[in-house]
Amino acid sequence: MATPILRWCCPGRRWVFAGIGSVFRHGRGVPTGSTSSGKRGQSTVAQQPLITAQKPRKGEREWAAVVGLEIHAQIASNSKLFSGSQVDFAAPPNSLVSFFDASLPGTLPVLNRRCVEAAVMTGLALDCHINRRSLFDRKHYFYADLPAGYQITQQRLPIAVNGSLVYSVCVGKRQSQMVTKTAGVKQIQLEQDSGKSLHDSLRSQTLIDLNRAGVGLLEVVLEPDMSCGEEAAAAIRELQLILQALGTSQANMAEGQLRVDANISVHNPGEPLGVRTEVKNLNSARFLAKAIDYEIQRQINELENGGKILNETRSFDYKLGCTVPMRDKEGKQDYRFMPEPNLPPLLLYDSGSLPTGTDPQQVINIDQLREQLPELPRVTREKLVQQYGMLPEHSFALLNEVGLLEFFQNVIKETRAEPKKVTSWVLNTFLGFLKQQNLAVSESPVTPSALAELLDLLDRKAISSSAAKQVFQELWRSKGKTPAQIVAEKKLELMQDAEALEQLCRSTLEAHPQVVTDVKKGNPRAINKLIGLVRRATLGRADPTVIKEVLERQLSS
Amino acid sequence: MLGRTLREVSEALKQGLVTPTELCQRCLSLIKKTKILNAYITVSEEAALKQAEESEKRYKKGQSLGDLDGIPVAVKDNFSTAGIETTCASNMLKGYVPPYNATVVQKLLDQGALLMGKTNLDEFAMGSGSTDGIFGPVKNPWSYSKQYREKRKQKSHGENENSHWLITGGSSGGSAAAVSAFTCFAALGSDTGGSTRNPAAHCGVVGLKPSYGLVSRHGLIPLVNSMDVPGILTRCVDDAAIVLGILAGHDPKDSTTIQDPVKPFTLPSLTDMSKLCIGIPKEYLTPELSSEVQSLWSKAANLFESEGAKVIEVSLPHTSYSIVCYHVLCTSEVASNMARFDGLEYGHRCDTDVSTEAMYAATRREGFNDVKL
């Protein structure tokens, strides 16, 4: 759990180093594995009021952090970027390797149309300028998982430039407010993925699997417009949702379809930017923010102690929770960029510039792709807010879980209950049960129809809300039973007989004169006792709000 | 028969005056006799005889595939040939047997040509003498001509005559020698900076470098991707035209080939010279040009002029930059293209297993010659 101070600081956050023994130095980032129990520092640390972090005291230095991101997303295509071999995550090693992928001499690259379309679509979704003419280059370095000794990428003139990624972060004490932010998209380029190396230290050997070598990647470069781990994580999340909505990448970090490198530096506000480090291999959504924040803190500590930041490459050690320098990447690498001579410039057209008589199979029309763009998450959320009057945070939550939006929409279709009720039940109760048992929406034992039926019962006031919760629990546990069946089995129907309820209330009041006196004296909790008594008498089949109403009416008369 | 043009032999085959198997056997025995030339690295005897057999069946049925059906050809050893060792005359690829055919090789085979073998070259086609391959230099067949032997006899005064021989030029020296020695009717070479035309000139045969983009480079182990072209070596111009007609055309596997469809063509027979205008680039008359070559050049120009053609001076103003540009492009692209030779997936691998870097270094040191290090 991140220390509270971090969340509180974002947006436009400032990092304050309040001197030795501050919350910052000992409260987080555990390089030696010690917990934040203040072992090394004074025990008074934990009690330091957090508010002081906002207004720097005299003698304290303020710090601002700058975070840029390079994201590699595997393109969801049937075959690789420059060869016809298949793209499949879980195939046997070295079973999806064409002659070109294995770098057999004499083989040549042939560009995959679907990958170009994916790049254009992603560029359009991120408001980029699509370059009508882009070029391919070779980036050279020697590594066992790079068979040709170079990677084909787009260094000089990439396919899309100058866009923006709009995302939201949660602010406020209770994470309830959403603030919109923008990160500039510097460029999007097409490039090849490398193979995989598996290091077998036991036998001192490295095993190479070339299945991934040559798979198409979209590299999205985000400008250093983010200022902390949370903003970076939120930006990545939004990009994931966009890519998934477009279908251009499955963007699953666990399967390596989305990889993130971060460029991080710190400086005092008003002064020039500091030296940046690159943190590579941020491949887990959970640890992304943590790793970035750790590095920011490390740099602050270093500079405050009079040290210097080296322009180096580091990687995040998940076990230790810290960044460590990467030995192989010391010093600047010379990639000897060179134009790829086997690929002519990539020319894209729009409806206006399309030459007459061209085979549509041979060209890409940007306007056509633009028309076919699916709805972006941002638009979907706006529509939800407009249509159902839900809070923006709820629209985020609905889109954040695979299949949840569809589930929600199916319930809405089948129920008469108010959208707000549906939203609440889906996001609180339904999602709560899913998370508790670590299930995906697709694995839910409760169908949208079942929930819709339940909500209808509630809407008709056939059952109370507490009864509804009971029914839901039963629905979750036992398959096949409908809500109506469960209500009947457990006798959860609300009392419909108003006269009987009046009678019960009156008799309860008569039976407990002392409590009645307490109520009349003005004791606010006494009425609840009466309500409880009536409820028990009705075997839980009366709505507490209705009971309260009746009792109050009877008491006042 | 081996001295005929392609058209003549093709006609003879159709008429049954000679069979593909006979042609094949004659060429094979000539290859053995001329072994001293060292023109061939690999002779694919069995495969060629089998192809000859198939060709014969076709001719018997009257279903020949075309002008090249049953014709012995040779291919430079930097073209990938499925199932036949392709070495590029380098230790790095010694023992490497490709799993696929280069497009141009496939086109020849689809036309029924008989593949006699893979010819010698400068290592990885880097050179202009065909002297730098690991299999030794190629000797120019003209070294054994009467004129040359006479000349040497006069000069040698008892020295061993056989120790003197002429180079073929390069890097497609093996292909040029193979054609020049009548062991095949046509051969494939490659041309980056003259590697087909140079040995053609040295060996007295026709060498054609097609325009870049006309012929597919898929399967040609590259030297400089922006300049390499498969070259054609034959004993007469008409033969080269026939082969070009078969090889030219768009290849989806090579993105640098032009898309326009290639129309089949035949060279017109030229009798009226008056319509011909020939340009002589003035920048090519350099002080370094040997007097022998210069006089031959003038002789050719004069011949055309005397027959009625117009011969004028033209200017190719960027000539002086060409060598410099060539060197820059060549060195960058070669370094890039050689990066893939690490011994991991194919080819020579050293015995070191200390670390990846050590393995790469040792493999490449052992595999390449001095030019590349």
Side-chain angles (χ1 to χ4, degrees):
Chain A
M1 177 65 186
T3 54
I5 197 163
L6 289 166
R7 287 194 200 264
W8 188 67
C9 275
C10 242
R13 64 183 309 147
R14 293 192 165 197
W15 299 71
V16 180
F17 185 79
I20 296 172
S22 77
V23 172
F24 270 55
R25 188 199 277 262
H26 297 290
R28 63 183 321 281
V30 279
T32 56
S34 61
T35 59
S36 53
S37 59
K39 256 200 250 177
R40 294 234 246 101
Q42 298 108 12
S43 53
T44 52
V45 161
Q47 268 94 46
Q48 242 184 26
L50 301 176
I51 301 170
T52 53
Q54 181 69 341
K55 284 202 266 285
R57 281 185 250 145
K58 202 168 152 193
E60 285 173 0
R61 292 164 70 178
E62 266 186 39
W63 290 100
V66 167
V67 179
L69 298 173
E70 275 168 29
I71 301 129
H72 290 91
Q74 264 187 8
I75 301 175
S77 59
N78 289 333
S79 52
K80 298 185 180 178
L81 183 55
F82 294 116
S83 71
S85 36
Q86 242 197 316
V87 177
D88 185 357
F89 175 67
N94 291 315
S95 61
L96 303 172
V97 186
S98 69
F99 298 149
F100 175 76
D101 302 328
S103 79
L104 289 193
T107 51
L108 299 169
V110 181
L111 187 55
N112 177 333
R113 184 207 173 89
R114 160 71 186 151
C115 293
V116 180
E117 288 177 353
V120 174
M121 284 167 68
T122 307
L124 290 172
L126 295 175
D127 284 324
C128 295
H129 168 75
I130 309 292
N131 280 327
R132 299 296 191 266
R133 183 171 173 271
S134 60
L135 306 169
F136 289 99
D137 305 292
R138 291 185 184 178
K139 179 180 180 184
H140 300 84
Y141 60 93
F142 286 107
Y143 204 68
D145 64 14
L146 196 65
Y150 60 84
Q151 175 201 36
I152 301 179
T153 176
Q154 293 188 297
Q155 195 247 358
R156 287 168 295 155
L157 199 56
I159 192 165
V161 290
N162 292 340
S164 58
L165 171 65
V166 177
Y167 63 99
S168 298
V169 275
C170 290
V171 292
K173 284 215 165 123
R174 267 177 290 141
Q175 299 298 296
S176 53
Q177 268 179 285
M178 308 231 63
V179 170
T180 308
K181 295 199 152 269
T182 310
V185 174
K186 178 155 183 258
Q187 63 190 56
I188 299 176
Q189 63 200 60
L190 281 166
E191 57 183 40
Q192 291 175 304
D193 207 348
S194 65
K196 273 206 202 136
S197 323
L198 300 138
H199 298 291
D200 180 1
S201 46
L202 203 63
R203 288 181 211 96
S204 297
Q205 61 183 9
T206 305
L207 306 164
I208 309 289
D209 177 11
L210 293 180
N211 281 351
R212 203 183 64 179
V215 170
L217 289 178
L218 286 175
E219 177 171 332
V220 180
V221 182
L222 295 181
E223 301 276 16
D225 293 337
M226 290 150 284
S227 58
C228 63
E230 186 169 358
E231 287 184 5
I236 295 289
R237 184 72 191 112
E238 187 63 15
L239 182 63
Q240 261 182 323
L241 292 173
I242 292 174
L243 291 171
Q244 286 163 357
L246 291 173
T248 52
S249 170
Q250 285 167 40
N252 184 334
M253 285 183 95
E255 290 188 4
Q257 291 155 345
L258 192 79
R259 288 165 245 156
V260 182
D261 300 334
N263 292 310
I264 300 162
S265 73
V266 297
H267 64 279
N268 304 117
E271 287 182 29
L273 297 180
V275 175
R276 67 182 163 110
T277 62
E278 189 189 1
V279 180
K280 286 185 95 71
N281 299 333
L282 297 168
N283 298 338
S284 156
R286 274 176 63 208
F287 291 103
L288 192 81
K290 229 181 181 175
I292 291 172
D293 287 337
Y294 173 85
E295 177 62 16
I296 292 171
Q297 189 59 66
R298 183 194 76 84
Q299 290 194 9
I300 291 174
N301 291 349
E302 186 70 35
L303 291 170
E304 282 287 345
N305 283 336
K308 278 209 186 114
I309 304 297
L310 297 168
N311 176 218
E312 61 179 350
T313 305
R314 302 172 75 87
S315 81
F316 186 66
D317 186 319
Y318 292 93
K319 292 200 199 111
L320 297 176
C322 62
T323 62
V324 292
M326 287 175 80
R327 264 179 304 123
D328 286 345
K329 305 241 173 178
E330 266 160 29
K332 277 212 128 177
Q333 266 252 15
D334 179 9
Y335 291 114
R336 294 175 288 140
F337 283 101
M338 184 185 98
E340 169 58 68
N342 291 319
L343 291 169
L346 175 61
L347 299 175
L348 302 171
Y349 300 93
D350 43 48
S351 302
S353 63
L354 205 55
T356 46
T358 45
D359 180 4
Q361 285 295 321
Q362 291 291 319
V363 292
I364 286 185
N365 184 342
I366 298 172
D367 288 334
Q368 201 173 52
L369 287 175
R370 191 182 282 115
E371 279 163 39
Q372 293 165 0
L373 276 183
E375 187 174 273
L376 293 180
R378 197 171 54 220
V379 175
T380 311
R381 282 187 223 116
E382 269 162 30
K383 279 192 185 168
L384 286 172
V385 170
Q386 294 288 336
Q387 206 172 358
Y388 303 118
M390 66 173 74
L391 294 171
E393 304 86 84
H394 295 161
S395 70
F396 271 89
L398 277 177
L399 260 64
N400 212 35
E401 194 70 35
V402 177
L404 192 61
L405 178 63
E406 205 186 320
F407 188 93
F408 168 83
Q409 282 165 334
N410 286 338
V411 176
I412 290 268
K413 256 190 265 178
E414 294 187 40
T415 186
R416 289 171 35 215
E418 262 184 27
K420 287 211 169 133
K421 259 284 190 264
V422 180
T423 309
S424 172
W425 270 82
V426 169
L427 287 181
N428 298 325
T429 321
F430 178 65
L431 197 58
F433 269 77
L434 278 181
K435 287 299 169 196
Q436 206 179 53
Q437 295 176 26
N438 205 14
L439 293 171
V441 173
S442 54
E443 297 166 316
S444 153
V446 175
T447 64
S449 312
L451 182 56
E453 195 187 314
L454 176 58
L455 291 176
D456 275 345
L457 288 173
L458 192 57
D459 188 59
R460 276 188 290 140
K461 296 205 199 300
I463 53 173
S464 69
S465 56
S466 53
K469 293 248 165 61
Q470 273 183 278
V471 175
F472 189 85
Q473 200 161 25
E474 190 57 36
L475 272 177
W476 197 276
R477 267 207 306 254
S478 56
K479 280 197 193 162
K481 286 199 209 154
T482 67
Q485 281 173 337
I486 297 171
V487 167
E489 270 175 35
K490 290 187 179 260
K491 297 201 209 296
L492 292 169
E493 311 93 350
L494 277 178
M495 265 181 85
Q496 298 299 336
D497 192 348
E499 188 52 50
L501 183 62
E502 295 275 340
Q503 188 64 24
L504 257 174
C505 286
R506 239 174 269 133
S507 50
T508 309
L509 287 174
E510 279 163 25
H512 301 270
Q514 185 57 45
V515 192
V516 174
T517 326
D518 285 341
V519 175
K520 292 214 167 129
K521 273 206 198 134
N523 184 343
R525 294 209 203 116
I527 186 101
N528 292 340
K529 190 152 190 244
L530 287 171
I531 296 171
L533 285 165
V534 174
R535 278 194 75 194
R536 246 180 277 138
T538 63
L539 302 167
R541 292 171 60 197
D543 194 333
T545 20
V546 177
I547 299 174
K548 189 173 187 195
E549 214 180 78
V550 173
L551 285 172
E552 280 175 347
R553 199 181 350 106
Q554 289 179 357
L555 283 167
S556 57
S557 63
Chain B
M1 185 56 64
L2 294 185
R4 304 269 188 216
T5 68
L6 264 177
R7 276 195 219 280
E8 288 168 352
V9 182
S10 187
E11 195 54 44
L13 282 167
K14 283 200 190 95
Q15 288 176 18
L17 298 171
V18 67
T19 67
T21 313
E22 278 168 2
L23 269 181
C24 187
Q25 279 165 340
R26 267 191 242 178
C27 285
L28 284 170
S29 85
L30 196 54
I31 291 173
K32 289 197 185 100
K33 268 197 225 159
T34 55
K35 217 166 167 190
I36 191 164
L37 297 176
N38 201 15
Y40 285 83
I41 294 175
T42 307
V43 180
S44 45
E45 185 164 336
E46 262 179 55
L49 284 168
K50 191 151 179 285
Q51 287 158 5
E53 209 183 294
E54 315 253 306
S55 175
E56 214 162 297
K57 284 190 202 147
R58 287 192 291 267
Y59 274 109
K60 283 214 175 100
K61 282 194 214 154
Q63 288 169 352
S64 91
L65 292 168
D67 285 329
L68 280 188
D69 202 342
I71 305 287
V73 297
V75 167
K76 188 175 177 182
D77 206 18
N78 61 353
F79 284 92
S80 290
T81 42
I84 302 175
E85 189 184 6
T86 301
T87 66
C88 296
S90 174
N91 276 317
M92 192 54 97
L93 288 179
K94 214 166 170 190
Y96 168 63
V97 180
Y100 72 102
N101 275 327
T103 300
V104 289
V105 171
Q106 192 61 54
K107 284 188 170 176
L108 290 176
L109 293 174
D110 288 343
Q111 286 287 307
L114 315 177
L115 184 56
M116 305 311 288
K118 309 297 290 299
T119 57
N120 204 348
L121 58 154
D122 280 308
E123 185 168 346
F124 278 113
M126 283 186 78
S128 50
S130 299
T131 49
D132 290 339
I134 58 157
F135 297 105
V138 185
K139 298 195 180 135
N140 196 324
W142 291 94
S143 314
Y144 304 95
S145 66
K146 272 200 203 135
Q147 297 118 300
Y148 186 66
R149 290 241 192 94
E150 293 289 315
K151 238 189 196 169
R152 285 258 41 99
K153 239 182 188 167
Q154 284 165 14
K155 287 191 181 164
S156 70
H157 307 300
E159 278 173 39
N160 183 5
E161 294 149 14
N162 290 334
S163 65
H164 289 281
W165 48 272
L166 299 164
I167 60 165
T168 50
S171 59
S172 314
S175 287
V179 171
S180 179
F182 297 94
T183 62
C184 58
F185 285 87
L188 284 184
S190 68
D191 197 313
T192 305
S195 293
T196 293
R197 296 163 285 165
N198 179 321
H202 277 83
C203 296
V205 297
V206 173
L208 173 66
K209 173 192 188 284
S211 303
Y212 186 88
L214 189 60
V215 181
S216 169
R217 286 183 298 113
H218 170 76
L220 168 59
I221 296 172
L223 186 65
V224 183
N225 288 291
S226 348
M227 297 190 273
D228 289 347
V229 180
I232 299 165
L233 293 135
T234 53
R235 286 191 288 274
C236 73
V237 176
D238 194 41
D239 291 357
I242 294 174
V243 178
L244 180 64
I246 287 163
L247 298 182
H250 175 65
D251 182 10
K253 294 190 196 135
D254 179 353
S255 309
T256 57
T257 51
I258 48 170
Q259 306 261 355
D260 307 348
V262 174
K263 284 181 269 194
F265 62 95
T266 37
L267 287 181
S269 51
L270 206 58
T271 42
D272 180 11
M273 290 283 146
S274 60
K275 299 231 177 86
L276 209 61
C277 181
I278 300 192
I280 308 279
K282 65 178 181 197
E283 289 86 0
Y284 283 28
L285 195 64
T286 62
E288 294 86 16
L289 200 58
S290 80
S291 51
E292 188 186 352
V293 172
Q294 195 174 339
S295 70
L296 277 169
W297 196 11
S298 306
K299 194 171 167 189
N302 292 334
L303 191 64
F304 276 110
E305 204 167 42
S306 63
E307 291 291 319
K310 205 163 105 183
V311 179
I312 57 169
E313 190 184 76
V314 294
S315 173
L316 298 177
H318 302 108
T319 305
S320 58
Y321 305 117
S322 59
I323 284 287
V324 181
C325 290
Y326 177 83
H327 275 298
V328 172
L329 288 174
C330 192
T331 42
S332 335
E333 293 209 27
V334 168
S336 178
N337 288 329
M338 295 297 144
R340 67 184 59 209
F341 295 112
D342 50 25
L344 266 178
E345 294 87 12
Y346 50 83
H348 170 69
R349 187 202 283 224
C350 68
D351 289 326
T352 316
D353 58 357
V354 168
S355 72
T356 311
E357 286 85 18
M359 192 272 275
Y360 270 45
T363 296
R364 289 163 73 81
R365 187 182 58 243
E366 290 168 18
F368 290 141
N369 71 6
D370 285 332
V371 184
K372 279 165 218 63
L373 282 177

